[in-house]
Amino acid sequence: MSEFFSSRLSSLTPYTPGEQPRGRKYIKLNTNESPFPPSEAVIEAIADEAKSLNLYSDPSLTELRAALAATYGVAPENVIASNGSDEALNFITMAYADKGFAFPDITYGFYPVFCTLNRVNYREIPLKDDFSVDVEAFMSAPENVMIANPNAPTGIALPLSDVERIVSADPGRIVVIDEAYVDFGGESAVKLIGKYRNLIVVGTFSKSRSLAGGRLGFALAAPELIADLDAIRFSTNPYNVNRLTLRAGAAALKDAEYYKNNALTIIANREYTAERLREMGFEALPSKANFLFIRSDKIEGAELYARLRDRGVLVRHFTKPRISYYNRVTIGSRAEMDAFLSETEEILNEIR
Ligand code: PMP
């Protein structure tokens, strides 16, 4: 950092995104993207909208809000859209700073970064030994709560009944449920939005809707909370979602069948991969997401990561002590998973 950098940000450790390699062609199983392209209708909508890029995007997000509301069975006043769900999460930490936030010790690495950036206190509540969320501890936490469900990088999902216990335990604090991976087998909390005015459900188009590069996320909540987040949005960037992405998002929602089938394929590939890995002696946590969190007594996480990388397969390794033995493997096409499995098998044979 230069000597000009704000001293109030001296403790900021920026989020480290997964590698986006250039040059060498890798089998890319490291950032939980979809292996499937956007639907034809999405590509056509983007091409059509490109003609209007001389104009700013709609700051009210009207068309996309209406489409999201119809998809999720809520009103447009319950919806805000964002530049990736990361932006919605950032807005949320800005908007609800007073009580601070509690989140699991093992979860999405951006939560503590947003808190530090916005100078919001946070507390990490350890996952239980089996990596499940400690529901009682969150029920009694005085802070606002942020939980990824299914959680990342574990893939473990919390039943909706447990989510409801946490939300209803204290109506005086905000509970954020980050449902980035819900379309791969989790239970959505969207149906609770009409019932609890302290609940915010965050979603993304980056995973099951094949739009990671388009950067589109959203949050669903009671109208007063959406108004809070809109106040932050209009104070940050009223044109936060660009024209191409607004059109792409609305078109993707119309192609629900295509994306639903892709999610089913990913689920089938996940179960296939987990089974094959278990046969090789790996432990795979029970995942409801588009990735598996795996470990083997035969090889440490960092070493498996490095050896796979040498062989052209990228997975994600985290250095946090509690999970350093693990790797997170995104579920891709069947051909990609077969390549990953055979390279892994060869590595195990090599070190034997
Ligand atoms: N939440 C979780 C749990 C994630 O893993 C991710 C993806 N890195 C995000 C939110 C953010 O995704 P995006 O900004 O692409 O919507």
Side-chain angles (χ1 to χ4, degrees):
M1 296 302 177
S2 78
E3 72 272 35
F4 307 108
F5 195 64
S6 300
S7 56
R8 68 185 177 82
L9 292 178
S10 58
S11 61
L12 185 67
T13 310
Y15 178 71
T16 315
E19 298 161 81
Q20 298 293 354
R22 292 168 190 283
R24 182 172 176 182
K25 188 112 183 70
Y26 285 94
I27 293 179
K28 210 173 159 304
L29 307 176
N30 68 332
T31 47
N32 298 342
E33 290 140 323
S34 172
F36 306 110
S39 69
E40 278 304 318
V42 167
I43 294 165
E44 278 165 28
I46 291 171
D48 181 56
E49 190 65 23
K51 298 170 200 152
S52 307
L53 279 181
N54 54 314
L55 303 175
Y56 284 111
S57 60
D58 170 17
S60 307
L61 312 162
T62 313
E63 192 198 352
L64 182 68
R65 261 182 159 145
L68 279 164
T71 297
Y72 288 103
V74 297
E77 296 70 40
N78 295 114
V79 185
I80 187 172
S82 54
N83 192 310
S85 55
D86 283 336
E87 189 184 53
L89 296 164
N90 190 23
F91 289 172
I92 288 166
T93 44
M94 286 185 211
Y96 306 108
D98 295 357
K99 287 184 190 249
F101 280 85
F103 39 78
D105 62 336
I106 308 294
T107 191
Y108 185 33
F110 231 134
Y111 300 160
V113 177
F114 287 136
C115 286
T116 309
L117 178 65
N118 297 315
R119 290 199 290 171
V120 175
N121 292 327
Y122 68 88
R123 180 167 67 99
E124 296 182 335
I125 297 183
L127 293 178
K128 294 185 183 171
D129 288 343
D130 65 357
F131 288 116
S132 64
V133 167
D134 187 341
V135 175
E136 274 74 24
F138 279 98
M139 286 172 70
S140 58
E143 299 93 344
N144 297 315
V145 167
M146 199 172 268
I147 292 177
N149 189 35
N151 196 11
T154 64
I156 295 176
L158 200 58
L160 185 59
S161 53
D162 283 337
V163 170
E164 185 161 10
R165 285 167 69 210
I166 294 169
V167 176
S168 64
D170 179 359
R173 52 153 207 209
I174 298 286
V175 175
V176 183
I177 304 295
D178 175 355
E179 296 192 347
Y181 301 104
V182 75
D183 293 336
F184 304 101
E187 275 181 283
S188 176
V190 170
K191 56 173 80 74
L192 301 180
I193 280 170
K195 196 167 165 191
Y196 298 102
R197 49 183 301 281
N198 61 322
L199 170 65
I200 305 178
V201 175
V202 175
T204 180
F205 283 64
S206 295
K207 318 295 176 184
S208 63
R209 293 193 181 103
S210 301
L211 268 181
R215 311 303 301 124
L216 184 59
F218 57 92
L220 308 173
E224 311 90 271
L225 302 190
I226 296 300
D228 296 339
L229 299 178
D230 250 340
I232 305 279
R233 189 172 69 88
F234 277 94
S235 308
T236 309
N237 180 7
Y239 311 110
N240 63 327
V241 186
N242 72 73
R243 276 184 169 269
L244 305 182
T245 298
L246 282 176
R247 276 290 293 282
L253 292 173
K254 285 199 191 117
D255 257 339
E257 191 69 18
Y258 170 77
Y259 294 104
K260 171 95 191 158
N261 284 332
N262 288 347
L264 290 175
T265 304
I266 294 295
I267 292 170
N269 291 353
R270 177 185 75 208
E271 297 312 310
Y272 164 81
T273 306
E275 188 60 34
R276 294 275 315 272
L277 284 168
R278 288 184 188 121
E279 283 162 18
M280 279 187 233
F282 277 86
E283 176 200 349
L285 297 187
S287 171
K288 297 275 192 217
N290 66 340
F291 54 83
L292 286 168
F293 205 46
I294 62 165
R295 72 183 285 272
S296 163
D297 289 336
K298 297 176 197 146
I299 187 163
E300 280 215 37
E303 189 181 353
L304 178 60
Y305 161 82
R307 284 177 180 257
L308 280 169
R309 196 176 196 286
D310 286 345
R311 290 160 171 268
V313 181
L314 279 185
V315 298
R316 189 89 196 255
H317 178 255
F318 300 92
T319 50
K320 217 171 186 178
R322 205 177 160 191
I323 52 171
S324 65
Y325 233 89
Y326 286 77
N327 281 295
R328 191 194 68 191
V329 182
T330 302
I331 303 300
S333 66
R334 185 61 72 98
E336 287 174 320
M337 299 329 288
D338 277 332
F340 156 76
L341 287 164
S342 67
E343 297 297 346
T344 301
E345 193 155 34
E346 280 181 30
I347 291 167
L348 290 186
N349 288 336
E350 243 174 43
I351 60 166
R352 188 169 295 158

